[in-house]
Amino acid sequence: MTAIDLRSDTVTRPTAQMRRVMLDAPVGDDVYGEDPSIAEFEARVADLCGKPAALFCATGSLSNLLGVQTLVAPGTEVLCEASAHIARAEMGAHGALHGVTMRTWVAGRGEGRTAGLATTVQIEELLSPDAGPYLVSTAAVELENTHNFGGGTIQPIEHLREVSAMCRAAGVGLHLDGARLWNAHVETGVPIADYSALFDTVSLCFSKGLGAPVGSVLVGSDEAIAQARVQRKRLGAGWRQAGMLAAAAQFALDHHVDRLVDDHAAARAFAERVALAAPGAVDPERVPTNIVVVKTGSRPAQDVAAAAAAQGVRVSVVGARLVRAVTHLDVDAADCRAAGDVVGRLLAP
């Protein structure tokens, strides 16, 4: 039985066309700044985002780490949502490697509120840009769009404008974890550059919904990217003939952005089938993009995931009683409906 793998959109494999483009890519030594495919790709992404410079990195965790480091000196803090990727899924790297303190708000708790979406007031209440000699001073705020553990929540551009203006007035930096910003762009029609303009640094991932095998890009000012390039090398993350990977990401940018709407439709199809059997587990109307977070009720999430895997459906455990399904280009709507039937039966009352 072939498994329907919905653990993440990172499980995608390069298409045959993408592999051919990778083989034909001109390459050089990127540590020496001599890989033409990487140089072309970085310039293109910087231009797309309306930023002066870009840096191609192996992972979104690395580009987030570097982006935050350009804004937050050791001993100062970055504010973020409690379930943000930088706080929950990056192995404590910001504190362990860069001496960054984190303070968090909790977004989306309560009736009628959207998971992962904070109010401007919540963030403002934590801002402390000049905390004096006894407390930790806020150096930056980090937001995530779409919000992974919030279920693919889209941060509305109006909200981001409010937060950006508030941070600018307070003299605080702003980093965007835009790993799935492509999904927000496709769903809302807001240009990538409009989102990017509100932030000092932005991380964009190509190995999730866009289906490249490896790679994220950090964009920002010339000074920020120069600093990030040095720190990337210091961390041992400089690479050589990585133009083959940049070529894959270029192909993804050319061919895999518009098709993200198919992933969004497939995610809603999955949620609808789960809700049909287990109405309290998920609300399909609250599935805006390609991520579905499902409540497992009285059943431990680990047990549900194991039972689903035994029936050929792979989902992630993201809480004691929460599992997550993420759609991508290697599954279609029919796969997702079938997977939803399996998970729904497991959760049916």
Side-chain angles (χ1 to χ4, degrees):
M1 178 173 55
T2 302
I4 301 172
D5 195 343
L6 300 176
R7 288 173 299 164
S8 176
D9 42 9
T10 61
V11 302
T12 57
R13 292 159 295 185
T15 64
Q17 286 179 296
M18 184 182 285
R19 290 171 190 261
R20 286 194 290 271
V21 168
M22 293 170 69
L23 287 174
D24 292 339
V27 298
D29 190 320
D30 185 54
V31 171
Y32 290 129
E34 295 175 355
D35 191 302
S37 295
I38 290 180
E40 177 187 351
F41 179 55
E42 288 176 341
R44 180 181 179 185
V45 177
D47 183 65
L48 177 68
C49 294
K51 296 292 188 188
L55 182 67
F56 188 36
C57 299
T59 66
S61 292
L62 178 58
S63 55
N64 279 334
L65 182 69
L66 296 174
V68 171
Q69 190 257 351
T70 67
L71 301 172
V72 186
T76 60
E77 71 182 5
V78 59
L79 306 180
C80 64
E81 205 275 326
S83 60
H85 195 274
I86 68 166
R88 189 174 179 194
E90 295 182 3
M91 307 298 292
H94 298 266
L97 298 176
H98 290 159
V100 170
T101 296
M102 280 186 193
R103 206 149 43 98
T104 63
W105 65 84
V106 177
R109 297 279 176 86
E111 191 67 29
R113 293 172 64 184
T114 301
L117 182 59
T119 66
T120 307
V121 171
Q122 280 181 290
I123 302 172
E124 185 178 30
E125 287 175 346
L126 293 180
L127 275 178
S128 183
D130 186 9
Y134 304 112
L135 302 176
V136 180
S137 294
T138 305
V141 170
E142 184 268 0
L143 295 173
E144 188 173 323
N145 201 16
T146 66
H147 195 294
N148 180 358
F149 294 115
T153 300
I154 297 171
Q155 308 280 351
I157 189 69
E158 297 81 8
H159 169 64
L160 297 179
R161 287 178 179 135
E162 289 179 3
V163 176
S164 180
M166 180 177 66
C167 289
R168 300 285 181 248
V172 168
L174 200 55
H175 173 71
L176 175 63
D177 178 355
R180 296 181 177 88
L181 190 61
W182 313 106
N183 298 82
H185 157 65
V186 166
E187 191 66 22
T188 65
V190 175
I192 294 289
D194 286 13
Y195 286 119
S196 299
L198 304 175
F199 295 83
D200 298 292
T201 53
V202 180
S203 172
L204 296 155
C205 191
F206 292 82
S207 63
K208 295 185 172 70
L210 298 195
V214 170
S216 289
V217 173
L218 178 70
V219 299
S221 67
D222 288 323
E223 296 77 14
I225 297 306
Q227 178 182 334
R229 190 177 296 275
V230 170
Q231 185 65 1
R232 184 187 67 169
K233 181 70 164 61
R234 184 174 286 128
L235 292 170
W239 44 12
R240 306 296 179 176
Q241 290 77 24
M244 298 175 72
L245 301 173
Q250 286 259 41
F251 181 90
L253 197 51
D254 288 333
H255 299 282
H256 292 169
V257 175
D258 291 342
R259 62 149 306 280
L260 290 173
V261 296
D262 298 334
D263 295 346
H264 300 176
R268 286 186 278 274
F270 171 86
E272 286 166 359
R273 298 307 275 262
V274 173
L276 194 63
V282 63
D283 180 357
E285 297 301 315
R286 288 178 172 257
V287 179
T289 54
N290 71 321
I291 301 176
V292 185
V293 175
V294 180
K295 300 173 186 175
T296 62
S298 60
R299 295 195 62 181
Q302 291 280 4
D303 293 353
V304 173
Q311 297 183 49
V313 175
R314 304 185 75 178
V315 294
S316 293
V317 174
V318 294
R321 284 179 168 74
L322 294 173
V323 295
R324 184 193 69 175
V326 186
T327 58
H328 49 81
L329 62 82
D330 282 353
V331 296
D332 59 22
D335 293 326
C336 293
R337 284 191 289 271
D341 288 338
V342 169
V343 174
R345 285 195 299 269
L346 291 171
L347 298 178

